[in-house]
Amino acid sequence: MSDLKSEAAALEEQFTQAITDAESLDALEQVRVAALGKKGRVSELMKGLGKMSPDERKEAGPLLNGLKARITEAITTRQDVLHDAALTVKLEQERVDVTLPVATPDAEQGRIHPNSQVIDEIVAIFADMGFDVKEGPDIETDEYNFNALNIPPEHPARQMHDTFYFHEQEDGSRLLLRTHTSPVQVRTMRSEEPPLRFIAPGRTFRCDSDQTHTPMFHQVEGMVIDKETHMGHLRWTLEEFCKAFFEVDSVEMRFRPSYFPFTEPSMEVDVRCDRSGKDIKIGQGDDWMEILGCGMVNPNVLKASNLDPEIYQGFAFGIGIDRLAMLKYGAPDLRAFFDGDARWIKHYGFSPLDVPSLYGGLSR
Ligand code: 2NL
């Protein structure tokens, strides 16, 4: 029995020292296995309990259980110390210097296309005047794209529109890619009650491609319909739009008679500009530049959407976005707008964080 006592005391001293000396959690685990593992020294001693007489066991049991408990306790204590030390080292290594400059966030890396920028600017301007924004599908029917707009099948404007048609459907009709955003106005006139005041921005398509035309391009059309809408309202609205868009205090505008099937009378609108320098200046100079088409909504167009022209009148206008974006932001070649070249968008694009608004500045 005294053999066991001195062996237990020797083991306790040996393992207590080993636990204190363990400099890592791995080293400590090796000590634990050597003492308390299945084949550990303390475990081996405890296996001997089974072969003892009851009297011997009465004394040896508490002795070995005490030994095991104290070694376990010492390991746990040392574990906590080593854990804390490891955490301190980790925190030391992972320290963040909050005085370093901010890393460029992902949103700063992307760029807003000049077309999107110009559409956002136009939306901000008209929203400020109380206009809604409406959208419609790119794929349309003859009815919405042509018939309802006073362009019957035999009308020469159908040839002028260079329409992309889809293959014939079972009923003989053909879907098409909208050639202007006017179908959105037709859908709105047919589904909502006047007074109407909205713009319709979006993609449009014509089978036409050269230096200044791409098969896909962008338009914003606008429409106002009420009981006493007249040309004075149209003129004021477009003048306010031009001043805001070109970010100048005054613009001189010229309304030239023109023809569109969906308006009567129809006009094309020029703004005074100066082309003598490197960039075109708007609002001064002795040159003119066409920027949009407009007119009073043709009574036939109102009738086709179940509005009584004796009660309602309205004005409408259409603006080509791509040309306006080239003009305002100085991009020379329209075709580069749709090449998807990252260097081009990095140069001509806008930060997604600079959202155009009338109070914050349209284009900054
Ligand atoms: C242009 C000319 C214009 C309209 C579009 C319109 C739509 C309906 C009724 C009446 Cl539903 N008008 N749209 C009117 C006049 C001109 O666009 O040169 N666009 C680039």
Side-chain angles (χ1 to χ4, degrees), residues 149 182 185-186 189 219 221 223 260 262-263 292-295 297 301 316-320:
L149 289 157
S182 313
Q185 278 98 299
V186 175
M189 285 188 286
Q219 251 199 338
E221 289 196 35
M223 169 172 265
F260 304 112
F262 25 82
T263 44
L292 58 88
C294 63
V297 179
V301 172
F317 55 87
I319 308 172

Side-chain angles (χ1 to χ4, degrees), residues 51-65:
K51 293 178 206 129
M52 291 180 188
S53 70
D55 275 352
E56 282 175 323
R57 203 181 298 133
K58 218 170 176 178
E59 210 179 327
L63 177 76
L64 295 182
N65 278 332

Side-chain angles (χ1 to χ4, degrees), residues 295-310:
M296 299 306 292
V297 179
N298 191 308
N300 292 337
V301 172
L302 293 171
K303 275 186 248 168
S305 291
N306 310 312
L307 293 172
D308 184 349
E310 297 298 325

